[in-house]
Amino acid sequence: MFLFASLNPKSYEDDLLDAELADRIRNGDSRAFEDLFFKYHTDLNNFAISITKSRELARDGVQDVFFRIWRNKKELNVHNSIRVYIFQAVKNKCLNLIEKQNNQIKLRDNFRIQQSNKLEIEFNLDSALSVEQQALIKAIWEAVDRMPERRRMVFYLHRKNGFKYKEIAKILSISRKTVENHMGQALKFLRSEIDLKKFE
């Protein structure tokens, strides 16, 4: 009996202290926020690891929850206990991170499958193009294959599938500015890798 009781050490007094912390945080008390963080960080991190099976994702999930609590402190409206609130928030955030990671893995896998399909992807050769034009297209896509993965995906989505920068940003969960930077670097790389005079 004692063993099971010891697994649930929370008490009514703890809930009152947590409620006080929540009130102080809502009023901008950074010390109360630090107290809450250090009080629950280890338990939340272990809980997040049990969901994500990843220390990195767990850390990101917990940090994001605390970041949002402080950023939106004036709107902090806890109906139950702050402990219940933050554990629910961490659970939801971890599930979102897992879904996001799975979507990125699927996108990357699909991208690799498409790359391996030479008839569909490799260069879109058209019989109406000249031999020189076909050779240039082939050289471009061979150079694209040597780009870093994220840059290659940005270039592929834009030039092969016609996605706009804003759409690519959403697909890859990066900013539009990052997409623009990747495209700029990709074009710079292609200019450095391909001798256009050979195809004139």
Side-chain angles (χ1 to χ4, degrees), residues 9-200:
K10 292 294 293 178
S11 67
Y12 177 70
E13 289 76 16
D14 285 324
D15 286 337
L16 288 179
L17 289 173
D18 286 352
E20 181 183 340
L21 285 176
D23 287 338
R24 288 167 56 196
I25 291 169
R26 198 161 34 244
N27 291 321
D29 188 334
S30 60
R31 179 61 183 273
F33 176 76
E34 289 177 11
D35 289 346
L36 182 72
F37 178 85
F38 287 113
K39 182 175 183 179
Y40 288 116
H41 179 265
T42 299
D43 288 343
L44 286 169
N45 194 58
N46 290 336
F47 175 61
I49 289 173
S50 74
I51 297 172
T52 63
K53 312 301 183 198
S54 162
R55 291 186 181 276
E56 183 179 347
L57 285 182
R59 183 196 62 220
D60 291 348
V62 172
Q63 287 180 350
D64 184 78
V65 166
F66 277 107
F67 171 75
R68 289 173 185 274
I69 286 174
W70 183 249
R71 187 182 65 184
N72 303 317
K73 54 187 175 291
K74 293 188 183 301
E75 289 77 42
L76 184 61
N77 189 12
V78 181
H79 299 291
N80 299 309
S81 69
I82 186 69
R83 180 171 177 264
V84 170
Y85 175 84
I86 57 179
F87 270 78
Q88 286 178 329
V90 166
K91 178 205 71 176
N92 291 336
K93 182 61 184 179
C94 286
L95 292 177
N96 288 339
L97 287 173
I98 290 171
E99 182 179 5
K100 178 180 176 182
Q101 184 185 59
N102 288 341
N103 288 339
Q104 290 175 337
I105 290 172
K106 287 178 183 176
L107 178 63
R108 187 163 57 244
D109 288 346
N110 288 339
F111 181 75
R112 286 172 177 163
I113 289 170
Q114 289 174 340
Q115 275 195 316
S116 68
N117 186 343
K118 298 300 182 181
L119 292 177
E120 181 175 351
I121 285 195
E122 201 182 61
F123 333 127
N124 274 349
L125 297 182
D126 187 331
S127 58
L129 298 176
S130 68
V131 173
E132 291 79 12
Q133 289 172 325
Q134 292 185 30
L136 175 59
I137 292 172
K138 185 171 187 250
I140 288 172
W141 287 106
E142 286 176 344
V144 170
D145 283 341
R146 297 193 294 273
M147 292 180 186
E149 182 174 308
R150 181 61 62 86
R151 189 169 303 153
R152 188 170 69 244
M153 292 174 74
V154 167
F155 188 88
Y156 179 85
L157 289 169
H158 182 57
R159 293 303 175 97
K160 184 67 71 170
N161 291 101
F163 284 109
K164 298 177 181 177
Y165 286 180
K166 182 170 71 172
E167 294 169 328
I168 297 171
K170 188 171 183 180
I171 290 171
L172 299 181
S173 299
I174 56 179
S175 69
R176 179 193 170 98
K177 185 66 177 175
T178 301
V179 173
E180 293 174 357
N181 289 339
H182 276 307
M183 279 301 300
Q185 290 298 319
L187 294 174
K188 182 178 178 182
F189 175 77
L190 290 174
R191 283 193 293 268
S192 70
E193 289 290 301
I194 299 173
D195 183 3
L196 294 179
K197 292 180 180 179
K198 288 169 54 179
F199 303 99
E200 290 177 350

